[in-house]
Amino acid sequence: TINEPGPLIDEKLLPNVSLDIIEINKIIEINGCSEPKYRSLNYIVGSGCPYNCKFCCLPTIWKQRSFCKDINTVMNDLKKINKDYDVHKLGFNDDNFFSRQSFVMQLCDQMIKNDISIEWEANAHIDYFLRNFTTEDISVLYEAGCRSIKFGVESGDQEILEKINKKTTVESCRAVAKLLADTNIKCVFYIMVAFPWNPDKDFKLTLDFL
């Protein structure tokens, strides 16, 4: 029996999770912590992604929609994580954290104003990031603690990018690397190799691109 999918629920309508009932220190221990400045956690601000990449499950699950928590909820959690649990590294594990420019910049502004001492990383779509984040925005990201942005490049073969509906170009991939090259924010590329249409060509072009 395959049940019909339930309705999508906005994150803001869900009850807040109390961090006090979670064994935070045990999670930090599992993550590996050699000294206090490396105490780290993962945190999810929102769900979903507006893109429709053919290799990905998200379009089927989220119907190209995305939801995020209320910013006050996020800030209360970040304050507690930073101040009460002495966490100084955080991975925003959203599938596409940077898909909401105004929310990200508002969050960064609040992190700076509230003196949140956390270095963090998150995922982004290349073309959306290039279109919506300026060099001034990137400076604010760094001031708010951003130290790494991870992009799904997937392939160095433009034909493959079009086949998988990636909505980006190889040149855009180079452009985002250049954009971040003069900052202190690390540019991380995810790739997949040997797509089935022409795996030898795909592998070579991807290797050449890298």
Side-chain angles (χ1 to χ4, degrees):
T1 299
I2 300 176
N3 295 327
E4 290 296 318
L8 298 177
I9 299 176
D10 191 327
E11 295 265 358
K12 296 181 185 66
L13 302 178
L14 298 173
N16 296 336
V17 176
S18 171
L19 297 180
D20 294 326
I21 65 174
I22 301 172
E23 295 185 80
I24 299 291
N25 286 317
K26 181 174 286 188
I27 296 172
I28 293 171
E29 181 182 336
I30 291 170
N31 284 346
C33 176
S34 55
E35 53 184 291
K37 68 178 181 179
Y38 295 122
R39 287 171 63 83
S40 67
L41 284 176
N42 296 325
Y43 184 91
I44 296 176
V45 172
S47 306
C49 176
Y51 289 90
N52 190 26
C53 302
K54 290 187 177 180
F55 60 84
C56 186
C57 67
L58 295 179
T60 300
I61 298 170
W62 295 106
K63 313 300 182 188
Q64 292 182 256
R65 297 175 64 188
S66 61
F67 305 95
C68 63
K69 297 177 183 176
D70 180 80
I71 195 161
N72 294 320
T73 299
V74 176
M75 280 307 305
N76 288 336
D77 285 348
L78 293 184
K79 288 176 188 175
K80 194 172 188 66
I81 287 169
N82 186 210
K83 310 298 184 183
D84 295 357
Y85 293 102
D86 200 29
V87 167
H88 296 284
K89 287 188 176 295
L90 195 72
F92 286 116
N93 273 20
D94 302 46
D95 294 299
N96 193 343
F97 176 83
F98 284 99
S99 67
R100 301 169 290 268
Q101 191 271 353
S102 59
F103 178 88
V104 170
M105 299 313 299
Q106 185 182 359
L107 180 61
C108 286
D109 181 60
Q110 289 297 313
M111 291 178 74
I112 294 167
K113 287 180 178 178
N114 286 276
D115 193 29
I116 302 297
S117 178
I118 292 178
E119 294 184 354
W120 52 272
E121 62 182 18
N123 298 317
H125 186 279
I126 287 171
D127 276 45
Y128 183 90
F129 190 85
L130 287 173
R131 287 197 312 270
N132 293 282
F133 289 87
T134 65
T135 53
E136 291 78 12
D137 290 339
I138 292 171
S139 296
V140 175
L141 294 176
Y142 183 84
E143 186 180 356
C146 181
R147 295 296 181 269
S148 176
I149 302 177
K150 299 179 286 186
F151 301 94
V153 169
E154 324 310 357
S155 175
D157 183 348
Q158 185 60 45
E159 184 180 359
I160 293 295
L161 295 180
E162 292 168 8
K163 283 181 178 293
I164 64 176
N165 199 35
K166 188 63 190 177
K167 302 297 184 187
T168 191
T169 65
V170 176
E171 285 307 312
S172 292
C173 299
R174 292 193 179 96
V176 81
K178 291 176 182 177
L179 179 65
L180 293 179
D182 296 328
T183 73
N184 289 312
I185 298 176
K186 183 188 295 183
C187 180
V188 177
F189 284 163
Y190 290 125
I191 62 164
M192 295 182 280
V193 293
F195 279 92
W197 296 285
N198 193 334
D200 291 340
K201 172 173 172 273
D202 169 49
F203 182 83
K204 183 182 184 305
L205 289 178
T206 302
L207 193 62
D208 289 348
F209 164 78
L210 293 174

